[in-house]
Amino acid sequence: MSYQKLEQHQQQIHRLSHLSAICGWDQAAMMPAGGSEARADAMAELGVLIHQKRTAPELGDWIANAECEPLDEVQRANLAEIKRHWQDASLLPGTLVEALSLAGSKCEHAWRSQRKHNDWAGFAVNLQEVVSLSREVAQRRADALGVRPYDAMLALYEPGMTSARLDQIFGDLSGWLPSLIQQVSERQQSDALLIPQGPFPIATQQALGREVMGVLGFDFAHGRLDVSSHPFCGGVATDVRITTRYNEQEFISSLMGIVHETGHARYEQGLPRHLLGQPVAEARSMGIHESQSLFCEMQLGHDPAFLALLAPHIRTHFGDQTAFEPANLVKIYNRVEPGLIRVDADEVTYPVHVILRYELERDLIEGRIEVADLPELWDGKMQQWLGITTQGNYRDGCMQDIHWTDGSFGYFPSYTLGAMYAAQLRFALERELGNLSQIIAAGRLPEIFAWLGRHIWSQGSQHSTDELIRRATGEPLNPHWLRQHLEQRYLP
Amino acid sequence: MSYQKLEQHQQQIHRLSHLSAICGWDQAAMMPAGGSEARADAMAELGVLIHQKRTAPELGDWIANAECEPLDEVQRANLAEIKRHWQDASLLPGTLVEALSLAGSKCEHAWRSQRKHNDWAGFAVNLQEVVSLSREVAQRRADALGVRPYDAMLALYEPGMTSARLDQIFGDLSGWLPSLIQQVSERQQSDALLIPQGPFPIATQQALGREVMGVLGFDFAHGRLDVSSHPFCGGVATDVRITTRYNEQEFISSLMGIVHETGHARYEQGLPRHLLGQPVAEARSMGIHESQSLFCEMQLGHDPAFLALLAPHIRTHFGDQTAFEPANLVKIYNRVEPGLIRVDADEVTYPVHVILRYELERDLIEGRIEVADLPELWDGKMQQWLGITTQGNYRDGCMQDIHWTDGSFGYFPSYTLGAMYAAQLRFALERELGNLSQIIAAGRLPEIFAWLGRHIWSQGSQHSTDELIRRATGEPLNPHWLRQHLEQRYLP
Ligand SMILES: [Zn+2]
Ligand SMILES: [Zn+2]
């Protein structure tokens, strides 16, 4: 049967991707600097091999045949995912993929010093090249899939999502978020909070982090925690590698970073093991992935009950400070402050950064604006949303991160979709299990994870994102729940 | 030109092998237990791919064509290595390789508990299967290469070496080693030595180890030190991963283990970088590799001048103990004591273990003895050479290690060949640079490594082992120099 051939073929791709993932982790967390050139060559070689397998000429026929074969529900879902991945891999000519990859590397490499020097003019030249090539990618994908160019990019990260729907969802947020930000900011203005006094030795932070991962049920027989300059969750489902970075003077953010990555990791560790190697066993989408990390970080991690649970662990490792009082930890972690930098943003202002990027990248990819327009548009949106300016300050404006340099247009919405899914899941869970804070306070964290495992992790990619969320929460994505969560936490 | 095609093809193999080496290191040094099954599958998948490339049908023609093309000396040497690797890879039917690999895994897995229970009868059944398959491998290789079966196995690790020559070389050793062992044992009998008092925290041992690696010129921009249950030198030439294991009660052996692996590492780091990816840029043989680790460990590391240099580093990390006096360190490291276990053996008795294994595995592979004969023959040789018995004690006799379980017959001689090459290199170096101890004492270690780099590391596989040694020392392998070294050090 053709379906069996496809399964075997996927198993091969999965195994080679396994090694690529581990070596990718190694590159970020272990590899000494001098190893990078040969490693990049080796990774590219394997990348070519995997791409060849993903686009093998026999796949088209096998898929067409398998579609007529008698399959059960899971197999049918798997076949749909196989087809989707095959289309994604086969759509683009190799030369275009390579040109974009080269342009991206060049742009990112130059960015490292250009950002330091606030050199927008220099950066814009490289970014223009990336944008041109990305437009070509989007157009080709759009033609093949029969959708708008930006939607064809979205489909890579959040299949099923469209910009029409995002306009609507983000439009909803635009209606209430600015005034919420303002109210919270005003309310917190008079809040005095104590800053924990360092130094906090790295080894101790690491031990605390591992302890908290244990509290969150991370399976250390199937994963590790290490250090990298950009925290991420990598590796494979049977061996999940999360990373963080430490700062001796400050443990607050890297500790919560570990909580965030643990959320990603538990999703991976909870994927259906018996289907391992098949696309149906993989994470549903970037938005759903982010919903699991944000559930851990924001719904759980920033909850006063969780911070009360954390406090004794912090005291065990760093001794007694008044700043470690749960009430003060709540003030620290739930501080809302409009700022220029997305990755430093709190839960309330974060969507602003995402909507801004979404609106710009959508128009950029569909040719309604040009790279040269970015700084002014960016500044306008920042002023309008957060009342702060980036005029002349490119390094903290459109040069603040490298998300666009590699052509990953369409990825940004995942962050806020994740936050919305997480909030919606929280309230669905509460309808079944009761108040989240009380569950946490009662030490019943495993019940929370069992619920997520049942409704999200174990489902892999068996259903569309919409269907997955509808089954778990009784309705499709609804931004109301994020609003409810934010109002409940910040304007009680 | 066919030669260029071969070069490109080798580059591909090299790059895939790079990832296999890094993931292999990860498996031993980083991977959590639960990751092993999926990893083994992934590694096997890549192994199949690499094997396919190594035995690609077009290679025979390309090699034949390239042999008629105008090539420079390095290219010609590279072509010879390409041909050798291709023959080695193509000689055996896949079914035989797979059967041996399975039998080896089974034998090793069962050995773990069989050794604990001294269960020779159980082990012998599995080993018999490995031996049968290995005999078939040896016979097929012998037929193809036109040499004796055991020599066909030797060629995998020490190309150019034959059992006729080994008989001669080891025969030479047999003439003087037993009486040397006895003389040294008698002389050392009255030696009182102080044992350093632990505990020695692992983190401190690690810091000391890294410091000593620095003294030995290890390039940390192209390598790392980590922990694994069996120390090894892995990774790739641009990123060499060495490992050790620690014991809180004892730092003496793991510190010297690090010195040993650093010797392997410097060879790898010193291979000709501009030829990276081609076989001609790889280490010459297992014996030469071991010569570099043993040069570091025995010629350098056990030299009183080096131990005097080490003492202050030890004191810095572990405080002051009389046991850390250089004279006492010399007594500890140069203690000669006949024992049953090869890996615990000192420099003087080590060759006994190797000659014993060589004689047994040679006769085993060529069918002159059977697995059932091993215990009695082993005991006889141990009694004859070292005056100790393994009667009924299989766990410390032929079940002491797993070197035979995976069918690596032909590897054992490399250890003692390495020791002999190292001694020969030492005296050649002394003729050029002067007395080794004085060079060490004068802090001129870099000159020693520069000499090794010039004569060995940078040569890769450009010459045969014989030619490499002749160029470096003025004569082919000569066991006289090991004798001279041992007599000089142990019977001054
Ligand atoms: Zn995340
Ligand atoms: Zn060695």
Side-chain angles (χ1 to χ4, degrees):
Chain A
M1 258 179 38
S2 290
Y3 177 76
Q4 263 69 42
K5 286 190 236 164
L6 286 169
E7 270 198 349
Q8 271 178 20
H9 189 81
Q10 284 304 133
Q11 195 64 258
Q12 284 189 340
I13 293 173
H14 171 79
R15 286 173 177 163
L16 297 179
S17 305
H18 173 141
L19 303 180
S20 178
I22 294 297
C23 287
W25 165 84
D26 182 272
Q27 231 166 335
M30 294 287 146
M31 187 182 72
S36 64
E37 199 182 320
R39 176 69 60 84
D41 290 342
M43 291 288 273
E45 189 75 47
L46 182 60
V48 167
L49 264 174
I50 292 174
H51 183 75
Q52 279 170 1
K53 291 212 176 272
R54 286 211 169 112
T55 57
E58 57 270 32
L59 290 179
D61 286 345
W62 288 357
I63 290 170
N65 292 341
E67 282 176 336
C68 307
E69 289 168 359
L71 302 177
D72 68 25
E73 241 179 284
V74 173
Q75 292 173 324
R76 200 148 293 285
N78 194 36
L79 180 59
E81 289 302 302
I82 290 174
K83 188 174 184 178
R84 189 169 68 81
H85 289 306
W86 168 68
Q87 284 176 327
D88 283 345
S90 315
L91 268 173
L92 304 175
T95 48
L96 178 55
V97 175
E98 206 181 332
L100 180 54
S101 161
L102 276 175
S105 299
K106 186 178 154 198
C107 189
E108 180 184 335
H109 191 265
W111 169 84
R112 289 181 213 163
S113 63
Q114 284 164 343
R115 187 183 179 211
K116 271 187 212 130
H117 300 105
N118 200 31
D119 175 13
W120 166 252
F123 180 68
V125 176
N126 293 333
L127 184 61
Q128 182 58 57
E129 203 185 331
V130 172
V131 168
S132 301
L133 291 162
S134 297
R135 282 174 177 169
E136 195 182 335
V137 167
Q139 192 56 56
R140 280 177 183 267
R141 292 185 50 84
D143 293 344
L145 303 176
V147 299
R148 285 174 49 176
Y150 185 73
D151 290 7
M153 297 304 289
L154 265 179
L156 285 168
Y157 311 103
E158 200 61 22
M161 186 50 66
T162 62
S163 45
R165 189 139 168 241
L166 279 178
D167 288 343
Q168 195 187 353
I169 292 166
F170 288 164
D172 182 305
L173 261 70
S174 310
W176 49 266
L177 193 57
S179 96
L180 196 146
I181 292 172
Q182 204 174 348
Q183 287 176 71
V184 178
S185 299
E186 278 165 21
R187 194 185 277 221
Q188 289 190 350
Q189 218 160 19
S190 56
D191 267 7
L193 54 80
L194 296 168
I195 303 296
Q197 296 302 305
F200 305 101
I202 308 280
T204 319
Q205 290 196 47
Q206 208 151 26
L208 171 62
R210 293 220 170 84
E211 211 170 282
V212 172
M213 286 165 75
V215 169
L216 294 168
F218 183 92
D219 175 3
F220 283 97
H222 292 92
R224 297 175 50 99
L225 167 70
D226 295 277
V227 177
S228 74
S229 57
H230 299 282
F232 68 98
C233 170
V236 295
T238 48
D239 183 0
V240 180
R241 308 286 174 97
I242 71 172
T243 69
T244 189
R245 63 175 156 222
Y246 299 101
N247 169 354
E248 278 245 326
Q249 299 313 315
E250 202 269 303
F251 72 94
I252 287 292
S253 43
S254 89
L255 181 58
M256 204 47 80
I258 290 174
V259 172
H260 178 96
E261 300 304 337
T262 301
H264 282 303
R266 291 226 55 187
Y267 186 14
E268 289 287 322
Q269 291 180 336
L271 289 167
R273 196 67 60 88
H274 63 290
L275 299 167
L276 188 75
Q278 299 305 312
V280 75
E282 285 166 20
R284 178 57 276 182
S285 73
M286 289 301 148
I288 296 297
H289 227 307
E290 202 63 17
S291 80
Q292 298 308 293
S293 56
L294 289 175
F295 192 100
C296 246
E297 180 186 357
M298 297 302 178
Q299 302 299 332
L300 275 184
H302 284 210
D303 191 284
F306 186 83
L307 292 168
L309 201 128
L310 215 53
H313 291 279
I314 295 173
R315 284 211 185 88
T316 303
H317 288 276
F318 297 129
D320 215 351
Q321 293 192 19
T322 320
F324 299 159
E325 294 289 341
N328 189 62
L329 292 176
V330 172
K331 280 188 195 162
I332 294 174
Y333 277 117
N334 291 332
R335 180 85 190 166
V336 174
E337 214 151 13
L340 296 175
I341 305 298
R342 175 183 59 86
V343 295
D344 295 337
D346 55 80
E347 182 182 24
V348 181
T349 56
Y350 203 108
V352 169
H353 296 270
V354 169
I355 296 174
L356 177 156
R357 297 296 278 261
Y358 160 67
E359 291 174 352
L360 293 179
E361 69 176 17
R362 179 198 57 199
D363 291 351
L364 200 54
I365 282 301
E366 298 192 343
R368 287 184 294 279
I369 63 172
E370 293 301 327
V371 167
D373 305 326
L374 287 175
E376 206 189 313
L377 291 167
W378 190 293
D379 181 53
K381 285 175 196 287
M382 280 310 264
Q383 297 226 30
Q384 174 200 333
W385 279 91
L386 298 178
I388 46 186
T389 180
T390 55
Q391 213 166 1
N393 179 6
Y394 308 102
R395 75 203 313 168
D396 296 328
C398 29
M399 287 175 76
Q400 68 178 254
D401 60 36
I402 54 156
H403 267 51
W404 278 342
T405 62
D406 62 355
S408 304
F409 297 97
Y411 185 87
F412 268 109
S414 307
Y415 292 113
T416 291
L417 289 169
M420 292 190 288
Y421 292 135
Q424 188 165 337
L425 288 169
R426 180 232 176 96
F427 288 105
L429 178 150
E430 287 195 327
R431 287 194 294 276
E432 267 186 59
L433 304 183
N435 178 274
L436 192 74
S437 303
Q438 285 170 14
I439 301 175
I440 299 168
R444 288 160 48 209
L445 276 172
E447 287 177 41
I448 298 170
F449 291 115
W451 191 92
L452 290 172
R454 217 157 50 236
H455 291 284
I456 304 293
W457 309 342
S458 65
Q459 301 305 303
S461 288
Q462 283 182 61
H463 309 292
S464 70
T465 307
D466 261 354
E467 177 66 9
L468 178 74
I469 289 296
R470 206 193 49 68
R471 283 168 166 250
T473 70
E475 62 176 326
L477 175 60
N478 182 350
H480 160 76
W481 301 108
L482 179 62
R483 181 178 188 177
Q484 174 130 340
H485 159 64
L486 295 177
E487 289 182 350
Q488 201 167 296
R489 173 169 290 170
Y490 296 93
L491 298 174
Chain B
M1 262 185 22
S2 289
Y3 178 76
Q4 262 70 42
K5 287 190 234 163
L6 286 169
E7 269 199 348
Q8 270 177 21
H9 189 80
Q10 285 302 134
Q11 195 63 259
Q12 284 188 339
I13 293 174
H14 172 79
R15 286 172 177 165
L16 297 178
S17 304
H18 173 140
L19 303 180
S20 177
I22 294 297
C23 288
W25 165 85
D26 183 90
Q27 231 166 335
M30 294 286 147
M31 187 183 74
S36 65
E37 201 182 319
R39 177 69 61 84
D41 291 342
M43 291 288 272
E45 190 75 48
L46 183 59
V48 168
L49 265 174
I50 292 174
H51 183 75
Q52 279 170 1
K53 291 212 175 272
R54 285 211 168 112
T55 57
E58 58 271 32
L59 290 180
D61 285 345
W62 288 358
I63 291 170
N65 292 340
E67 283 176 335
C68 309
E69 289 168 0
L71 303 178
D72 67 27
E73 243 181 285
V74 173
Q75 291 172 325
R76 200 149 291 283
N78 193 35
L79 180 58
E81 289 302 302
I82 291 174
K83 187 174 184 180
R84 190 169 68 81
H85 288 307
W86 168 69
Q87 283 177 326
D88 283 345
S90 314
L91 267 174
L92 303 175
T95 49
L96 178 56
V97 175
E98 205 180 332
L100 180 55
S101 160
L102 278 175
S105 300
K106 187 179 154 198
C107 188
E108 180 182 335
H109 191 264
W111 169 84
R112 289 182 214 164
S113 64
Q114 284 164 344
R115 188 185 178 209
K116 272 188 209 127
H117 300 102
N118 200 34
D119 175 13
W120 166 250
F123 179 68
V125 177
N126 293 332
L127 184 60
Q128 182 59 57
E129 203 186 330
V130 172
V131 168
S132 301
L133 292 162
S134 297
R135 282 173 177 170
E136 196 182 334
V137 167
Q139 191 57 56
R140 280 177 184 269
R141 293 184 50 82
D143 292 345
L145 304 176
V147 298
R148 284 175 51 175
Y150 185 74
D151 291 6
M153 298 304 289
L154 266 179
L156 286 167
Y157 311 105
E158 201 60 22
M161 186 51 68
T162 63
S163 46
R165 189 142 168 237
L166 280 177
D167 288 343
Q168 196 190 351
I169 292 166
F170 288 163
D172 181 302
L173 261 70
S174 309
W176 49 264
L177 193 58
S179 97
L180 195 145
I181 293 173
Q182 205 174 349
Q183 287 176 70
V184 177
S185 298
E186 278 166 20
R187 195 185 274 222
Q188 289 190 350
Q189 218 162 18
S190 57
D191 268 8
L193 55 80
L194 296 168
I195 303 297
Q197 296 303 306
F200 305 100
I202 307 279
T204 318
Q205 289 195 48
Q206 209 151 26
L208 171 62
R210 293 221 169 84
E211 210 171 283
V212 172
M213 287 165 73
V215 169
L216 294 169
F218 183 92
D219 175 3
F220 283 96
H222 293 92
R224 298 176 47 98
L225 168 69
D226 294 279
V227 178
S228 74
S229 57
H230 299 282
F232 66 99
C233 170
V236 294
T238 48
D239 182 0
V240 179
R241 308 286 173 98
I242 71 173
T243 71
T244 190
R245 61 177 158 224
Y246 299 101
N247 170 354
E248 277 244 324
Q249 299 313 314
E250 202 271 303
F251 71 92
I252 288 292
S253 44
S254 88
L255 181 57
M256 204 47 78
I258 291 174
V259 172
H260 178 97
E261 300 305 337
T262 300
H264 282 304
R266 290 225 56 187
Y267 185 14
E268 289 288 321
Q269 291 180 337
L271 289 167
R273 197 66 60 88
H274 64 289
L275 299 167
L276 188 76
Q278 298 306 312
V280 73
E282 286 165 22
R284 177 60 274 185
S285 74
M286 289 302 147
I288 296 297
H289 227 307
E290 203 62 18
S291 80
Q292 297 309 293
S293 55
L294 289 175
F295 192 100
C296 247
E297 180 187 355
M298 297 303 178
Q299 302 300 331
L300 274 184
H302 283 211
D303 191 284
F306 186 82
L307 292 168
L309 201 127
L310 216 52
H313 291 280
I314 295 173
R315 285 211 184 88
T316 303
H317 288 276
F318 297 129
D320 214 350
Q321 293 191 20
T322 319
F324 298 160
E325 294 288 341
N328 189 60
L329 292 175
V330 171
K331 280 185 195 164
I332 294 173
Y333 276 116
N334 290 333
R335 180 86 190 164
V336 174
E337 215 150 16
L340 296 174
I341 306 297
R342 175 183 57 86
V343 294
D344 295 337
D346 54 79
E347 181 182 24
V348 182
T349 58
Y350 203 108
V352 170
H353 296 270
V354 169
I355 295 175
L356 178 157
R357 297 295 279 260
Y358 160 67
E359 291 175 351
L360 293 178
E361 71 175 17
R362 178 198 57 197
D363 291 351
L364 200 55
I365 282 301
E366 299 193 343
R368 286 184 296 277
I369 62 171
E370 293 302 326
V371 167
D373 304 326
L374 287 175
E376 206 189 314
L377 290 168
W378 189 294
D379 181 54
K381 285 175 196 288
M382 280 310 265
Q383 298 226 29
Q384 175 199 331
W385 279 90
L386 298 178
I388 46 185
T389 179
T390 55
Q391 216 169 356
N393 180 5
Y394 308 103
R395 78 201 312 165
D396 296 329
C398 30
M399 288 176 75
Q400 69 178 253
D401 60 35
I402 54 157
H403 267 51
W404 280 342
T405 64
D406 63 354
S408 304
F409 297 97
Y411 185 86
F412 267 108
S414 307
Y415 292 113
T416 293
L417 288 170
M420 292 189 288
Y421 292 136
Q424 188 165 336
L425 288 167
R426 179 231 175 97
F427 289 104
L429 178 149
E430 287 196 328
R431 286 194 295 275
E432 268 187 59
L433 304 183
N435 179 274
L436 191 73
S437 304
Q438 285 171 14
I439 301 175
I440 299 168
R444 288 161 47 208
L445 277 171
E447 288 177 41
I448 297 170
F449 291 116
W451 191 92
L452 290 172
R454 214 154 53 234
H455 290 283
I456 304 293
W457 310 341
S458 65
Q459 300 304 304
S461 287
Q462 284 183 61
H463 309 292
S464 70
T465 307
D466 261 354
E467 176 67 9
L468 178 73
I469 289 297
R470 207 193 48 68
R471 283 168 166 252
T473 70
E475 60 176 329
L477 175 60
N478 182 350
H480 161 75
W481 300 109
L482 179 62
R483 181 178 189 176
Q484 173 132 340
H485 158 65
L486 295 177
E487 289 182 350
Q488 200 166 296
R489 174 169 291 170
Y490 295 93
L491 299 174

